[in-house]
Amino acid sequence: MTEIKGIIPPIITPMNEDETINERELASQVNRLIEAGVHGIFAFGTNGEGYALDRDEKERVLSVVIETTAGRVPVYAGTGCITTRDTIEMSRMAERMGADVLSVITPSFAAASQEELYIHYKRVAESVHIPVVLYNIPARTGNALSPSTVSRLAEIDNIVGAKDSSGNFDNMLQYIELTKDKDFCILSGNDSLILWNLLAGGAGGIAGCANVFPKNMVRIYEAYMAGDLEGARQAQDNIRVFRNTFRYGNPNTIVKTAVALQGYPVGRCRSPFNQLPSEGIEAIRKVLNACREAGIE
């Protein structure tokens, strides 16, 4: 089983002007992040616009990521779909291609009971032989994984962790508390809570900001593991000014715009999720300049 730990960027999906995938730049971004010390690469997560990619595009993205990563770090694949059948199909495809870990977001649009969620994840886990990480982001999907359901799912052998993007620290804390006696890892999906996740017994974070400041995000984890709490806290605090720009639009759009403003040809998010006001773009540019001057990268 792959060890679930550290800083795992949900890598952005570079696109050309016609919204086709820029495979060359995707490979370049994989190398950039690995060279910065990240502990995994997560293909077509939320920041990777998995919600906007079709099956063939996901297969191509995963192929590029796996080929470029070349075993240097684990590859996570976001395979969650609305239905159990489609999620199983995507999960089996990712397993066949060589993904190391599956990240499975809760079904969306239709409301699901906790029992329905439990059965969904159980069936998905039983359909593959690689680790599965649950993904809770109720603000986007409309369905929340309760701590008690996560605790039940943690009893299934290859369900090995959960990413909590609820933004509710108490919810994440309950995930940790209810699974601490199991071989189970909790990752923060909120970049502002990564250090607090570690302090509470968590394993790190799937960090969108790592696309922008990969070395800084890695430092949160590495400094913590080395016992340097002051260094970890400084690295955690460093991203506050960037996260303050999220008020200007969709966080995925903010992150991809920031990477583009750093000089990488990653393109824009797929329409219609690609609009930012001019004051927002200027605010991001000022933050990036300030961080560059401060040596935050």
Coordinates of all heavy atoms in Angstrom, one line a residue, residues 162-250:
A162 N -8.9 9.9 4.1 CA -10.0 10.8 3.6 C -9.4 12.2 3.5 O -8.5 12.6 4.3 CB -11.1 10.8 4.6
K163 N -9.8 12.9 2.5 CA -9.5 14.3 2.3 C -10.7 15.1 2.7 O -11.8 14.9 2.2 CB -9.1 14.6 0.9 CG -8.9 16.1 0.6 CD -8.8 16.4 -0.9 CE -8.8 17.9 -1.2 NZ -8.8 18.1 -2.7
D164 N -10.5 16.0 3.7 CA -11.7 16.9 4.1 C -11.5 18.3 3.6 O -10.6 19.0 4.0 CB -11.8 16.9 5.6 CG -13.0 17.7 6.0 OD1 -14.1 17.5 5.4 OD2 -12.9 18.5 7.0
S165 N -12.4 18.7 2.7 CA -12.4 20.1 2.2 C -13.6 20.8 2.6 O -14.0 21.8 2.0 CB -12.3 20.0 0.6 OG -11.1 19.5 0.2
S166 N -14.1 20.4 3.7 CA -15.3 21.1 4.3 C -15.0 22.5 4.8 O -15.8 23.4 4.8 CB -16.0 20.3 5.4 OG -15.1 20.2 6.5
G167 N -13.7 22.7 5.2 CA -13.3 24.0 5.8 C -13.7 24.0 7.3 O -13.4 25.0 7.9
N168 N -14.4 23.0 7.8 CA -14.8 22.9 9.2 C -13.8 22.1 9.9 O -13.7 20.9 9.8 CB -16.2 22.2 9.2 CG -16.7 22.1 10.6 OD1 -16.0 22.1 11.6 ND2 -18.0 22.0 10.8
F169 N -12.9 22.7 10.7 CA -11.8 22.0 11.4 C -12.4 21.0 12.3 O -11.8 19.9 12.5 CB -10.9 23.0 12.2 CG -9.8 22.3 12.8 CD1 -8.8 21.7 12.1 CD2 -9.8 22.2 14.2 CE1 -7.7 21.1 12.7 CE2 -8.7 21.5 14.8 CZ -7.7 21.0 14.1
D170 N -13.5 21.2 13.0 CA -14.0 20.2 13.9 C -14.4 19.0 13.2 O -14.3 17.9 13.7 CB -15.2 20.8 14.7 CG -15.7 19.8 15.7 OD1 -14.9 19.5 16.7 OD2 -16.9 19.3 15.6
N171 N -14.9 19.1 11.9 CA -15.3 17.9 11.1 C -14.0 17.1 10.9 O -14.0 15.9 11.0 CB -16.0 18.3 9.8 CG -16.5 17.2 9.0 OD1 -17.5 16.6 9.4 ND2 -15.8 16.8 8.0
M172 N -13.0 17.8 10.4 CA -11.7 17.1 10.2 C -11.2 16.5 11.4 O -10.6 15.3 11.4 CB -10.7 18.0 9.5 CG -9.4 17.3 9.1 SD -8.4 18.4 8.0 CE -8.0 19.8 9.1
L173 N -11.3 17.2 12.5 CA -10.8 16.7 13.8 C -11.5 15.4 14.2 O -10.9 14.4 14.7 CB -11.0 17.7 14.9 CG -10.3 17.4 16.3 CD1 -8.8 17.3 16.1 CD2 -10.6 18.6 17.2
Q174 N -12.9 15.4 14.0 CA -13.6 14.1 14.2 C -13.2 13.0 13.4 O -13.2 11.8 13.8 CB -15.1 14.4 14.1 CG -15.7 15.3 15.2 CD -17.2 15.4 15.1 OE1 -17.9 14.4 15.2 NE2 -17.7 16.6 14.8
Y175 N -12.9 13.3 12.1 CA -12.4 12.2 11.2 C -11.1 11.6 11.9 O -10.9 10.4 11.9 CB -11.9 12.8 9.9 CG -13.1 13.1 8.9 CD1 -14.4 13.0 9.2 CD2 -12.7 13.5 7.6 CE1 -15.4 13.2 8.3 CE2 -13.7 13.8 6.6 CZ -15.0 13.6 7.0 OH -16.0 13.9 6.0
I176 N -10.2 12.5 12.3 CA -9.0 12.0 13.0 C -9.3 11.2 14.2 O -8.7 10.1 14.4 CB -8.0 13.2 13.2 CG1 -7.6 13.8 11.9 CG2 -6.8 12.8 14.1 CD1 -6.8 15.1 12.1
E177 N -10.1 11.8 15.1 CA -10.4 11.1 16.4 C -11.0 9.7 16.2 O -10.7 8.8 16.9 CB -11.3 12.0 17.2 CG -10.6 13.3 17.7 CD -11.6 14.3 18.3 OE1 -12.9 14.1 18.1 OE2 -11.2 15.2 18.9
L178 N -12.0 9.6 15.2 CA -12.7 8.4 15.1 C -11.9 7.3 14.3 O -12.4 6.1 14.2 CB -14.0 8.6 14.4 CG -15.1 9.4 15.2 CD1 -16.3 9.7 14.4 CD2 -15.5 8.7 16.5
T179 N -10.8 7.7 13.7 CA -10.0 6.7 13.0 C -8.6 6.5 13.5 O -7.8 5.8 12.9 CB -9.9 7.1 11.5 OG1 -9.3 8.4 11.4 CG2 -11.3 7.2 10.8
K180 N -8.3 7.1 14.6 CA -6.9 7.1 15.1 C -6.4 5.7 15.5 O -5.2 5.5 15.5 CB -6.8 8.1 16.3 CG -7.6 7.7 17.6 CD -7.5 8.7 18.7 CE -8.4 8.4 19.9 NZ -8.3 9.4 20.9
D181 N -7.3 4.8 15.8 CA -6.9 3.4 16.1 C -6.9 2.5 14.9 O -6.7 1.3 15.0 CB -7.9 2.8 17.2 CG -7.8 3.6 18.5 OD1 -6.7 4.1 18.8 OD2 -8.8 3.7 19.2
K182 N -7.1 3.1 13.7 CA -7.1 2.4 12.5 C -5.9 2.8 11.6 O -5.3 3.9 11.9 CB -8.4 2.6 11.7 CG -9.6 2.2 12.5 CD -10.9 2.6 11.7 CE -12.2 2.1 12.4 NZ -12.4 2.9 13.6
D183 N -5.5 2.0 10.7 CA -4.4 2.4 9.7 C -5.1 3.3 8.7 O -5.3 2.9 7.5 CB -3.8 1.2 9.1 CG -2.6 1.5 8.3 OD1 -2.1 2.6 8.4 OD2 -2.1 0.6 7.5
F184 N -5.3 4.6 9.0 CA -6.1 5.5 8.2 C -5.5 6.9 8.3 O -5.1 7.3 9.4 CB -7.5 5.5 8.7 CG -8.6 6.0 7.8 CD1 -9.0 5.1 6.7 CD2 -9.1 7.2 7.9 CE1 -10.0 5.6 5.9 CE2 -10.1 7.7 7.0 CZ -10.5 6.9 6.0
C185 N -5.5 7.6 7.2 CA -4.8 8.9 7.1 C -5.8 10.0 6.8 O -6.6 9.8 5.8 CB -3.7 8.9 6.1 SG -2.4 7.7 6.5
I186 N -5.8 11.1 7.4 CA -6.6 12.2 7.1 C -5.8 13.4 6.5 O -4.8 13.8 7.1 CB -7.4 12.7 8.4 CG1 -8.2 11.6 9.1 CG2 -8.3 13.9 8.0 CD1 -9.2 10.9 8.2
L187 N -6.2 13.8 5.4 CA -5.6 14.9 4.7 C -6.5 16.2 4.7 O -7.7 16.1 4.5 CB -5.3 14.5 3.2 CG -4.3 13.4 3.0 CD1 -4.4 12.9 1.6 CD2 -2.9 13.8 3.4
S188 N -5.8 17.3 4.9 CA -6.6 18.6 4.8 C -6.8 19.0 3.3 O -5.8 19.0 2.6 CB -5.9 19.7 5.6 OG -6.6 20.9 5.4
G189 N -8.0 19.3 2.9 CA -8.2 19.9 1.6 C -8.3 21.4 1.6 O -8.4 22.0 0.6
N190 N -8.2 21.9 2.8 CA -8.1 23.4 3.0 C -6.7 23.7 3.3 O -6.2 23.3 4.3 CB -9.1 23.8 4.1 CG -9.2 25.3 4.3 OD1 -8.2 26.0 4.4 ND2 -10.4 25.8 4.3
D191 N -6.1 24.5 2.5 CA -4.7 24.8 2.6 C -4.3 25.6 3.9 O -3.2 25.5 4.4 CB -4.2 25.6 1.4 CG -4.1 24.8 0.1 OD1 -4.6 23.6 0.2 OD2 -3.7 25.3 -0.9
S192 N -5.3 26.3 4.4 CA -5.0 27.0 5.6 C -5.0 26.2 6.9 O -4.6 26.6 8.0 CB -6.1 28.1 5.8 OG -6.1 29.1 4.9
L193 N -5.4 24.9 6.8 CA -5.5 24.0 7.9 C -4.5 22.9 7.9 O -4.5 22.0 8.7 CB -6.9 23.4 8.0 CG -8.1 24.4 8.2 CD1 -9.4 23.7 8.2 CD2 -7.9 25.2 9.5
I194 N -3.5 23.0 7.0 CA -2.6 21.8 6.9 C -1.7 21.7 8.2 O -1.6 20.5 8.7 CB -1.6 22.0 5.7 CG1 -2.4 21.9 4.4 CG2 -0.5 21.0 5.7 CD1 -1.7 22.2 3.1
L195 N -1.2 22.7 8.7 CA -0.4 22.6 9.9 C -1.3 22.1 11.1 O -0.8 21.2 11.9 CB 0.3 23.9 10.3 CG 1.1 23.9 11.6 CD1 2.2 22.8 11.6 CD2 1.7 25.3 11.9
W196 N -2.5 22.6 11.2 CA -3.4 22.2 12.2 C -3.8 20.8 12.1 O -4.0 20.0 13.1 CB -4.6 23.2 12.3 CG -4.1 24.6 12.2 CD1 -4.4 25.4 11.2 CD2 -3.2 25.3 13.0 NE1 -3.8 26.6 11.3 CE2 -3.0 26.6 12.5 CE3 -2.5 24.9 14.2 CZ2 -2.2 27.5 13.1 CZ3 -1.7 25.9 14.8 CH2 -1.6 27.2 14.3
N197 N -3.9 20.3 10.8 CA -4.2 18.9 10.6 C -3.0 18.0 11.1 O -3.3 17.0 11.8 CB -4.3 18.7 9.1 CG -4.3 17.2 8.6 OD1 -3.2 16.7 8.5 ND2 -5.4 16.6 8.4
L198 N -1.8 18.4 10.8 CA -0.6 17.7 11.3 C -0.6 17.7 12.8 O -0.3 16.6 13.5 CB 0.6 18.3 10.7 CG 0.8 18.1 9.2 CD1 1.9 19.0 8.7 CD2 1.1 16.7 8.8
L199 N -0.8 18.8 13.4 CA -0.7 18.9 14.9 C -1.8 18.0 15.6 O -1.6 17.5 16.7 CB -0.9 20.4 15.3 CG 0.3 21.3 15.1 CD1 -0.1 22.7 15.2 CD2 1.5 21.0 16.0
A200 N -2.9 17.8 14.9 CA -4.0 17.0 15.4 C -3.8 15.5 15.2 O -4.7 14.7 15.6 CB -5.3 17.5 14.9
G201 N -2.8 15.2 14.4 CA -2.6 13.8 14.1 C -2.9 13.4 12.7 O -2.9 12.2 12.3
G202 N -3.1 14.4 11.8 CA -3.4 14.1 10.4 C -2.1 13.9 9.6 O -1.0 13.8 10.2
A203 N -2.2 13.7 8.3 CA -1.1 13.2 7.5 C -0.6 14.3 6.5 O 0.4 14.0 5.8 CB -1.5 12.0 6.7
G204 N -1.2 15.5 6.4 CA -0.8 16.5 5.5 C -1.9 17.1 4.7 O -3.0 17.3 5.3
G205 N -1.7 17.4 3.4 CA -2.8 18.0 2.7 C -2.7 17.9 1.2 O -1.6 17.7 0.6
I206 N -3.8 17.8 0.6 CA -3.9 17.9 -0.9 C -4.1 19.4 -1.2 O -5.2 20.0 -0.9 CB -5.1 17.1 -1.4 CG1 -4.7 15.6 -1.2 CG2 -5.3 17.3 -2.9 CD1 -5.8 14.6 -1.7
A207 N -3.1 20.1 -1.6 CA -3.0 21.5 -1.5 C -2.9 22.2 -2.8 O -2.0 22.1 -3.6 CB -1.7 21.9 -0.7
G208 N -4.0 22.9 -3.2 CA -4.1 23.6 -4.4 C -3.0 24.7 -4.5 O -2.5 24.9 -5.6
C209 N -2.7 25.3 -3.4 CA -1.7 26.4 -3.4 C -0.3 25.9 -3.8 O 0.6 26.6 -4.1 CB -1.6 27.1 -2.1 SG -3.1 28.1 -1.7
A210 N -0.1 24.5 -3.7 CA 1.2 24.0 -4.1 C 1.4 24.1 -5.6 O 2.6 24.0 -6.0 CB 1.2 22.5 -3.7
N211 N 0.4 24.4 -6.4 CA 0.6 24.7 -7.8 C 1.3 26.0 -7.9 O 2.0 26.3 -8.9 CB -0.7 24.8 -8.5 CG -1.3 23.4 -8.8 OD1 -0.8 22.6 -9.6 ND2 -2.4 23.1 -8.1
V212 N 1.1 26.9 -7.0 CA 1.7 28.3 -7.0 C 3.0 28.4 -6.2 O 4.0 29.0 -6.7 CB 0.7 29.3 -6.5 CG1 1.2 30.7 -6.7 CG2 -0.7 29.1 -7.2
F213 N 3.0 27.8 -5.0 CA 4.1 27.9 -4.1 C 4.5 26.5 -3.6 O 4.4 26.2 -2.4 CB 3.8 28.8 -2.9 CG 3.2 30.2 -3.2 CD1 1.9 30.5 -3.0 CD2 4.1 31.1 -3.8 CE1 1.4 31.8 -3.3 CE2 3.6 32.4 -4.1 CZ 2.3 32.7 -3.8
P214 N 5.0 25.7 -4.5 CA 5.2 24.3 -4.1 C 6.3 24.1 -3.0 O 6.1 23.3 -2.1 CB 5.7 23.6 -5.4 CG 6.2 24.7 -6.3 CD 5.3 25.9 -5.9
K215 N 7.4 24.9 -3.1 CA 8.4 24.7 -2.1 C 7.9 25.2 -0.7 O 8.2 24.6 0.3 CB 9.7 25.5 -2.5 CG 10.4 24.9 -3.7 CD 11.6 25.7 -4.0 CE 12.3 25.2 -5.2 NZ 13.5 26.0 -5.6
N216 N 7.1 26.3 -0.7 CA 6.6 26.7 0.6 C 5.6 25.7 1.2 O 5.7 25.5 2.4 CB 5.9 28.1 0.4 CG 5.3 28.6 1.7 OD1 6.0 29.2 2.5 ND2 4.0 28.4 1.9
M217 N 4.8 25.2 0.4 CA 3.8 24.2 0.9 C 4.5 22.9 1.4 O 4.2 22.4 2.5 CB 2.8 23.8 -0.2 CG 2.0 25.0 -0.7 SD 1.3 26.1 0.6 CE 0.0 24.9 1.2
V218 N 5.5 22.5 0.7 CA 6.3 21.3 1.2 C 7.0 21.7 2.5 O 7.1 20.8 3.4 CB 7.4 20.9 0.1 CG1 8.4 20.0 0.7 CG2 6.7 20.3 -1.1
R219 N 7.4 22.9 2.7 CA 8.1 23.3 3.9 C 7.1 23.1 5.1 O 7.6 22.8 6.2 CB 8.6 24.7 3.8 CG 9.3 25.2 5.1 CD 10.3 26.2 4.9 NE 10.8 26.7 6.2 CZ 11.6 26.0 7.0 NH1 12.0 24.8 6.7 NH2 12.0 26.6 8.2
I220 N 5.8 23.4 5.0 CA 4.9 23.2 6.1 C 5.1 21.8 6.6 O 5.3 21.6 7.9 CB 3.5 23.4 5.7 CG1 3.2 24.8 5.2 CG2 2.5 23.1 6.8 CD1 1.8 25.0 4.6
Y221 N 5.1 20.8 5.8 CA 5.2 19.4 6.2 C 6.6 19.0 6.6 O 6.7 18.4 7.7 CB 4.8 18.5 5.0 CG 4.8 17.0 5.4 CD1 3.8 16.4 6.1 CD2 5.9 16.2 5.0 CE1 3.8 15.1 6.4 CE2 5.9 14.9 5.3 CZ 4.9 14.3 6.0 OH 5.0 13.0 6.3
E222 N 7.6 19.4 5.9 CA 8.9 19.0 6.2 C 9.4 19.6 7.5 O 10.1 19.0 8.3 CB 9.9 19.3 5.0 CG 9.6 18.5 3.7 CD 9.8 17.0 3.8 OE1 10.3 16.6 4.9 OE2 9.4 16.3 2.9
A223 N 9.1 20.9 7.7 CA 9.5 21.6 8.9 C 8.8 20.9 10.1 O 9.4 20.7 11.2 CB 9.2 23.1 8.8
Y224 N 7.5 20.7 9.9 CA 6.8 20.0 11.0 C 7.4 18.7 11.4 O 7.6 18.3 12.6 CB 5.3 19.8 10.7 CG 4.6 19.0 11.7 CD1 4.1 19.6 12.9 CD2 4.3 17.6 11.5 CE1 3.5 18.8 13.8 CE2 3.7 16.8 12.4 CZ 3.3 17.4 13.6 OH 2.6 16.7 14.5
M225 N 7.7 17.8 10.4 CA 8.2 16.5 10.6 C 9.6 16.6 11.3 O 10.1 15.7 12.0 CB 8.3 15.7 9.3 CG 7.0 15.4 8.7 SD 5.9 14.5 9.8 CE 6.7 12.9 9.9
A226 N 10.4 17.7 11.0 CA 11.7 17.9 11.6 C 11.6 18.5 13.0 O 12.7 18.7 13.6 CB 12.5 18.8 10.7
G227 N 10.4 18.8 13.5 CA 10.3 19.4 14.8 C 10.4 20.9 14.8 O 10.5 21.5 15.9
D228 N 10.5 21.5 13.6 CA 10.6 23.0 13.5 C 9.2 23.6 13.4 O 8.8 24.0 12.3 CB 11.5 23.3 12.3 CG 11.7 24.8 12.1 OD1 11.3 25.6 12.9 OD2 12.2 25.2 11.0
L229 N 8.6 23.7 14.5 CA 7.2 24.3 14.5 C 7.2 25.7 14.1 O 6.2 26.2 13.4 CB 6.6 24.1 15.9 CG 6.3 22.6 16.3 CD1 5.6 22.6 17.6 CD2 5.5 21.9 15.2
E230 N 8.2 26.5 14.4 CA 8.2 27.9 14.0 C 8.3 28.0 12.5 O 7.6 28.8 11.9 CB 9.4 28.6 14.7 CG 9.5 30.1 14.4 CD 10.6 30.8 15.1 OE1 11.2 30.2 16.0 OE2 10.9 31.9 14.7
G231 N 9.2 27.2 11.9 CA 9.3 27.2 10.5 C 8.1 26.7 9.8 O 7.7 27.3 8.7
A232 N 7.4 25.7 10.3 CA 6.2 25.2 9.7 C 5.1 26.3 9.8 O 4.3 26.5 8.9 CB 5.7 23.9 10.5
R233 N 5.0 27.0 11.0 CA 4.0 28.0 11.1 C 4.3 29.2 10.2 O 3.3 29.7 9.6 CB 4.0 28.5 12.6 CG 3.0 29.6 12.9 CD 1.6 29.2 12.6 NE 0.6 30.3 12.7 CZ -0.1 30.6 13.8 NH1 0.1 30.0 14.9 NH2 -0.9 31.6 13.8
Q234 N 5.5 29.5 10.0 CA 5.8 30.6 9.0 C 5.4 30.3 7.6 O 4.8 31.1 6.9 CB 7.3 30.9 9.1 CG 7.7 32.1 8.2 CD 7.0 33.4 8.5 OE1 7.2 33.9 9.6 NE2 6.2 33.9 7.6
A235 N 5.7 29.0 7.2 CA 5.3 28.6 5.9 C 3.8 28.6 5.7 O 3.2 28.9 4.7 CB 5.9 27.2 5.6
Q236 N 3.1 28.1 6.8 CA 1.6 28.1 6.8 C 1.1 29.5 6.7 O 0.2 29.8 5.9 CB 1.1 27.4 8.1 CG -0.4 27.4 8.2 CD -1.1 26.4 7.2 OE1 -1.1 25.2 7.4 NE2 -1.6 27.0 6.1
D237 N 1.7 30.4 7.4 CA 1.2 31.8 7.4 C 1.5 32.5 6.1 O 0.8 33.5 5.7 CB 1.8 32.6 8.6 CG 1.3 32.2 9.9 OD1 0.3 31.5 10.0 OD2 1.9 32.6 10.9
N238 N 2.5 32.1 5.4 CA 2.9 32.7 4.1 C 1.8 32.7 3.1 O 1.8 33.6 2.2 CB 4.1 32.0 3.6 CG 5.4 32.4 4.3 OD1 5.5 33.3 5.0 ND2 6.5 31.6 4.0
I239 N 0.9 31.8 3.1 CA -0.1 31.7 2.0 C -1.3 32.5 2.3 O -2.2 32.6 1.5 CB -0.5 30.2 1.7 CG1 -1.1 29.5 2.9 CG2 0.8 29.5 1.2 CD1 -1.8 28.2 2.5
R240 N -1.4 33.1 3.5 CA -2.7 33.8 3.8 C -2.9 35.0 2.8 O -4.0 35.1 2.4 CB -2.5 34.4 5.3 CG -3.6 35.4 5.7 CD -5.0 34.9 5.5 NE -5.2 33.6 6.2 CZ -6.2 32.7 5.9 NH1 -7.0 33.0 4.9 NH2 -6.3 31.6 6.6
V241 N -1.9 35.7 2.5 CA -2.1 36.8 1.6 C -2.5 36.4 0.2 O -3.3 37.1 -0.4 CB -0.8 37.7 1.5 CG1 0.4 36.9 0.9 CG2 -1.0 39.0 0.8
F242 N -2.1 35.2 -0.2 CA -2.6 34.7 -1.5 C -4.0 34.2 -1.4 O -4.9 34.5 -2.2 CB -1.7 33.6 -2.0 CG -2.2 32.9 -3.3 CD1 -2.3 33.7 -4.5 CD2 -2.6 31.6 -3.3 CE1 -2.7 33.1 -5.6 CE2 -3.1 31.0 -4.4 CZ -3.2 31.8 -5.6
R243 N -4.3 33.5 -0.3 CA -5.7 33.0 -0.2 C -6.7 34.2 0.0 O -7.9 34.0 -0.3 CB -5.7 32.0 1.0 CG -5.1 30.7 0.7 CD -5.3 29.7 1.9 NE -6.6 29.5 2.3 CZ -7.5 28.7 1.7 NH1 -7.1 28.0 0.7 NH2 -8.7 28.6 2.2
N244 N -6.2 35.3 0.4 CA -7.1 36.5 0.5 C -7.6 36.9 -0.8 O -8.7 37.6 -0.9 CB -6.4 37.6 1.2 CG -6.3 37.4 2.7 OD1 -6.9 36.6 3.3 ND2 -5.4 38.2 3.3
T245 N -6.9 36.5 -1.9 CA -7.4 36.9 -3.3 C -8.5 36.0 -3.7 O -9.1 36.2 -4.8 CB -6.3 36.8 -4.3 OG1 -5.8 35.5 -4.5 CG2 -5.1 37.7 -3.8
F246 N -8.8 34.9 -3.0 CA -9.9 34.0 -3.4 C -11.3 34.7 -3.4 O -12.2 34.2 -4.0 CB -9.9 32.8 -2.5 CG -8.8 31.8 -2.7 CD1 -7.7 32.1 -3.5 CD2 -8.9 30.5 -2.1 CE1 -6.7 31.2 -3.7 CE2 -7.9 29.6 -2.3 CZ -6.8 29.9 -3.1
R247 N -11.4 35.8 -2.8 CA -12.7 36.5 -2.8 C -13.0 37.1 -4.2 O -14.2 37.4 -4.4 CB -12.6 37.7 -1.8 CG -11.7 38.8 -2.2 CD -11.8 39.9 -1.1 NE -10.9 41.1 -1.3 CZ -9.7 41.2 -1.0 NH1 -9.1 40.2 -0.4 NH2 -9.0 42.3 -1.2
Y248 N -12.1 37.1 -5.1 CA -12.3 37.6 -6.4 C -12.9 36.6 -7.4 O -13.3 37.0 -8.5 CB -11.0 38.2 -7.0 CG -10.5 39.4 -6.3 CD1 -9.4 39.4 -5.5 CD2 -11.2 40.6 -6.5 CE1 -9.0 40.5 -4.8 CE2 -10.7 41.8 -5.9 CZ -9.6 41.7 -5.0 OH -9.2 42.8 -4.4
G249 N -13.0 35.3 -7.0 CA -13.6 34.3 -7.9 C -13.4 32.9 -7.5 O -13.0 32.7 -6.3
N250 N -13.7 32.0 -8.3 CA -13.5 30.6 -8.1 C -12.1 30.3 -7.7 O -11.2 30.7 -8.4 CB -13.9 29.8 -9.3 CG -13.9 28.3 -9.1 OD1 -13.1 27.7 -8.4 ND2 -14.8 27.6 -9.8

